[in-house]
Amino acid sequence: MTDAGRVRLRFQPGDREVRVPPGVSVFEGASWNGIAIDSTCGGHGTCKKCRVRIVDGAVPVSQLDIRAFSPEELRDGWRLACLAAATADLTVDVPPLATRPKAATVGVGRQVILRPAVQKRYVELVEPTLADQTSDLERLLAALDDLELRVDLYALQRIGSVLRSSDFAATAVVVDDVLIDVEPGDTSGRRYAIAFDLGTTTVVATLLDLATGTPVAVRSMLNRQQPFGADVITRISATMLDPDALGRLRDLAHDTLDELVREVCKEGGVAPEEVYEVALAGNATMTHLVLGIDPEPLGVAPFIVSTRALPELLASDIGVRVHPRARAVVLPSFGAYVGGDIVAGILASGMDRDRRLRLFIDVGTNCEIVLGDANRLLATAAPAGPAFEAAQIRCGMRAADGAIEVVRIERDELLVQIIGDAEPAGLCGSGLVDAVAELVRVGLLDHSGRFVPDAVARGVAPALADRLTEVAGERVFVLHWRGDPDDASGAVFLSQRDVRELQFAKASIATGWRLLLLEWGADVEDVSQVLLAGSFGSYLSPASAVRIGLVPAMPLTRIVSAGNVAGEGAKMALLSVQERAGALALLEEVEYVELSDRRDFNDRFMAELGFPA
Amino acid sequence: MTDAGRVRLRFQPGDREVRVPPGVSVFEGASWNGIAIDSTCGGHGTCKKCRVRIVDGAVPVSQLDIRAFSPEELRDGWRLACLAAATADLTVDVPPLATRPKAATVGVGRQVILRPAVQKRYVELVEPTLADQTSDLERLLAALDDLELRVDLYALQRIGSVLRSSDFAATAVVVDDVLIDVEPGDTSGRRYAIAFDLGTTTVVATLLDLATGTPVAVRSMLNRQQPFGADVITRISATMLDPDALGRLRDLAHDTLDELVREVCKEGGVAPEEVYEVALAGNATMTHLVLGIDPEPLGVAPFIVSTRALPELLASDIGVRVHPRARAVVLPSFGAYVGGDIVAGILASGMDRDRRLRLFIDVGTNCEIVLGDANRLLATAAPAGPAFEAAQIRCGMRAADGAIEVVRIERDELLVQIIGDAEPAGLCGSGLVDAVAELVRVGLLDHSGRFVPDAVARGVAPALADRLTEVAGERVFVLHWRGDPDDASGAVFLSQRDVRELQFAKASIATGWRLLLLEWGADVEDVSQVLLAGSFGSYLSPASAVRIGLVPAMPLTRIVSAGNVAGEGAKMALLSVQERAGALALLEEVEYVELSDRRDFNDRFMAELGFPA
């Protein structure tokens, strides 16, 4: 791939070069790449502080430039960065900052300049007189004249008594371009937001201090929609069978989020009314359900989302009781099976900014795969089935106390690591992948995925051969004996069918990234890094993932656990309006590759079923 | 006054000339003056249909013009009228209309071109396939690509099931630039709105068919806030004494409006869900209360409104249950005592479009006065007291059954006209003015406002002299005897103190318009027309109003009853987005003249107390 369609921005001093889509403003191009330019309005063209000098390349003079600069300055190339559209390569001189912006590290080592949508401004106003009957609102807005604000009725309902109870010294609360409240006195030190990762199984809330960008409290709990089914398809089915189910699923999602709000606010010593914005990342089904949007079209061919970009929303639209007029950002979906969690993941991992070719895999029942670099991004979804969630695995269980999460075979000895201080009770997804990978490595499973005959087993691993036995006529490998050592049916084991389930799952994923590589025109060797994401993927052992062929074979140091990227992306959307805009821009930049209608899918899938030699 | 600050627009064919403030678009300049230019987006710069040719004068080429016209057309002066700002005099060729716009007559003979904010579009969409997974919303918006729409979550919640229940043939409901709903099938023939005149005493609702501009049903009822006091000051006081009163007053206003909704919808055969927009005109206090905004700053010096222009509102913000996402337009206030009802009145009477100097008087407890023409408008408020509402008048009553509303003396005989088929029970405001005017005319009241001695009375009006008597030691004139003809205390009468009350009220009003004339630099003779407005003013006899000096002396044909201009203004805001924008523009155009801090106010007030010779 070439840089076709991108323009180069070179920033001085420091000589940093970035490439952005044509038309992006110099201000945004800088912000997206961690280069700070002065601004109080956040790039809305109102504060006139983002002064830069274009030293190479041409940028037309805007109406506002004429007001912000003298004719000499305009001739010398001075422009407002937020209005300077980069339509061709430019070199830009950035003056030293008048105020040092704060930055926070989030996502996969991303440095984000703090420009939250939530702003607070403390003002001391001159009191009205008969000679100056300016309305309360106009009086306040005049003190905020670097912002062009819309006004929420709630702020109007409060402004009169707040100003008069505080001798006209008050704090304006602004989210994006909306004045949502006026608070008596100076409350500018306290502004908070909450980022939600709304998973099908687990929901995580992070309370952020927007002044510093730091997390104040984090809590997680199970999604209360669980009784309607473990995966998205069963929940969509529920809405098709019962007309009340959509409303109940929405309410259960709201209850889950709202309980987390109570918990993080209590833990962080923050009043819910001090939370002025929330952000949410989730897959398309979770996003539809939490907003009360019928998910049926997601679940049946041709798999249609109601919308990609979502409208302006309030926190109350996702059922959380924080500030009554707090805003909500719900990260958008590319399609029915590549949702806002993946948009958040691309944002958090910076895949759209990195010049290296990287492969992002969010492993789960539905596995999302993204391949690309700063020039081109391809995405697809692979239906992996529930093996990784340990459903349909004979001794499968969630990653909870008692689950075997790590399996190692060292010098003919089986070592297992258990979650919590408990007796092994089952096998979670990462343990399943480890167990299969180790058994393949020592030769107890052959490369087609079949347990070897006892005779072969005694040859390759004499101390473990006794663990190969039968339960209900099916060949199994016992990981942990419980009760009667002669009765494997009570043990924690891996069955032949479990191995097959995992083979189907990993073949689906591997077919996905192989087809993306083909579409891109790259080989496995061209991939610089693999990011394993999601609540399950992040816990996978890179060695085991390579061993079973779930990810391309490469040095293990280049296979990275990306952590909870959905939650990190939601945090970034709260910390920076530029990052938020970047997430929306992804909708136009990422190409979706549909696998299900490819003629070569089945052949490639069959080829991926075995384990690498 | 000159035309300084206005530019002239000459429209061809027809050679009609209008004058507008500089910067107004050619499209709006035409619309405000009833000249129709093609448009489907209503002047938002998106449909590119408002093609006109500038044949004299210069208009710069906009970015959109470049896309809409060929270079030859641009050279020939073709421009999009909605983007063509009139900064100097222009002559404009308007092509014949592709579609004939409908117009309606509203207000004081105003011809309004129908361009309601509510639009419906019936579309038949191609169904999605695996090869075309465009989201439901993007699919719909692509069919509405002459509009640039924001989307309400409600529309998103419904779009999936509506499209699939109707084979993708559906109607988009748009208000302003917001898609608020999607309805199955073709419902484009049914779109309704409701205009409210929220008076302190009486509330009127008019259900409008937006397709034709015609009223479908009209209902009125008493404002349920009445138990909190008859006038705005007692209601403001209530909120200052009781912290719960604001909430209760808001709820009572909501109840009043919502009951009227039920009534007009039932009468008109319209489902409330088919009402997509409402508009409300009221004084500043009523506007604050209905929106739950603390009115206290309105009631105490220095008399401050929370805001002049109001934010984007929903019908639910004023408590009416129509379409769940219907929008609300609340007409803005100039100040604490010149409210949205007067903005509506200026709009409905076209005072800002007329080249004649006109005087607008809304007579009531608080009397609003506007003087001006298309070049300059002055407004003030005069505290007239409750005489016109017949409070503090001994035999005063509301204009209800039994009220004497007209009083005439012809050939020494007293003639009265009663509301309804009832025995006279009291005197309403118009009857009070009539009675005093007639008694002055025949000489039973002298020009200082004192009843003449009996001897004089027998001389000037022998047949009426017996009606001059005493009640509780006070001199009265009996209008109607009830019961014992020797006991005037049971009769309907006019007392000396009643006359004094009226003198104070009319002196306050007359001082108001005299000071406005002084401020303007015009004489009474320069005034072409007097408009008597409001639920009371519209019923006043012009002859009596002149006789007592309430309005300037002039030929009676030039004193016009303007009717319920507040309600008419609210209707206009619903029928035309251009008229609505005109109402907002008034906030910048009207100069408010504060009377209370004028040194000459008291002297002039004293001079106005007597009756004209």
Side-chain angles (χ1 to χ4, degrees), chain A residues 89-141:
Chain A
D89 295 353
L90 299 175
T91 303
V92 182
D93 240 23
V94 180
L97 292 172
T99 52
R100 190 87 216 152
K102 295 191 182 104
T105 303
V106 280
V108 186
R110 296 285 320 281
Q111 181 81 353
V112 173
I113 296 170
L114 293 186
R115 293 205 198 279
V118 177
Q119 295 188 57
K120 278 192 165 186
R121 295 284 186 89
Y122 172 65
V123 292
E124 295 178 355
L125 304 176
V126 176
E127 298 197 18
T129 61
L130 271 179
D132 170 16
Q133 291 179 323
T134 307
S135 75
D136 287 344
L137 181 64
E138 288 167 301
R139 189 173 300 276
L140 175 64
L141 292 181

Side-chain angles (χ1 to χ4, degrees), chain A residues 358-495:
Chain A
R358 299 199 291 170
L359 178 63
F360 171 101
I361 305 177
D362 188 326
V363 184
T365 304
N366 179 63
C367 176
E368 296 94 355
I369 309 170
V370 184
L371 174 74
D373 62 16
N375 291 314
R376 187 185 184 202
L377 287 168
L378 302 179
T380 194
F388 297 114
E389 316 279 357
Q392 300 189 27
I393 299 299
R394 294 285 297 274
C395 295
M397 69 178 284
R398 280 197 320 108
D401 280 2
I404 297 174
E405 60 168 347
V406 176
V407 176
R408 289 280 170 276
I409 296 175
E410 288 178 12
R411 273 164 281 135
D412 223 15
E413 191 184 355
L414 183 78
L415 306 170
V416 298
Q417 188 174 312
I418 319 298
I419 299 178
D421 183 19
E423 202 199 334
L427 193 59
C428 71
S430 62
L432 171 69
V433 172
D434 268 5
V436 171
E438 290 291 88
L439 293 176
V440 168
R441 184 174 62 81
V442 300
L444 291 175
L445 276 170
D446 67 22
H447 290 288
S448 77
R450 184 189 303 265
F451 281 115
V452 295
D454 289 345
V456 176
R458 277 189 296 272
V460 297
L464 299 174
D466 282 355
R467 292 176 177 263
L468 270 178
T469 175
E470 281 201 356
V471 171
E474 189 189 5
R475 201 151 164 80
V476 305
F477 179 86
V478 174
L479 293 160
H480 177 74
W481 299 100
R482 285 191 305 196
D484 181 354
D486 287 336
D487 179 12
S489 67
V492 178
F493 57 78
L494 175 77
S495 80

Side-chain angles (χ1 to χ4, degrees), chain A residues 136-137 151 157 291 305-306 311, chain B residues 136-137 151 157 291 302 305-306 311:
Chain A
D136 287 344
L137 181 64
V151 178
Q157 288 170 333
L291 290 171
V305 289
S306 59
Chain B
D136 287 345
L137 181 64
V151 178
Q157 289 171 332
L291 290 171
V305 289
S306 60

Side-chain angles (χ1 to χ4, degrees), chain B residues 317-376:
Chain B
D317 289 325
I318 62 167
V320 297
R321 290 168 298 161
V322 288
H323 185 280
R325 303 305 290 174
R327 264 45 192 170
V329 180
V330 174
L331 287 163
S333 297
F334 295 120
Y337 288 99
V338 182
D341 48 351
I342 302 308
V343 173
I346 297 175
L347 194 67
S349 58
M351 287 201 60
D352 58 328
R353 318 281 165 84
D354 204 308
R355 301 183 66 162
R356 298 172 295 170
L357 183 64
R358 299 198 290 170
L359 178 64
F360 171 101
I361 306 177
D362 188 326
V363 184
T365 305
N366 180 64
C367 177
E368 295 94 354
I369 309 170
V370 183
L371 175 74
D373 63 14
N375 291 314
R376 187 184 183 203

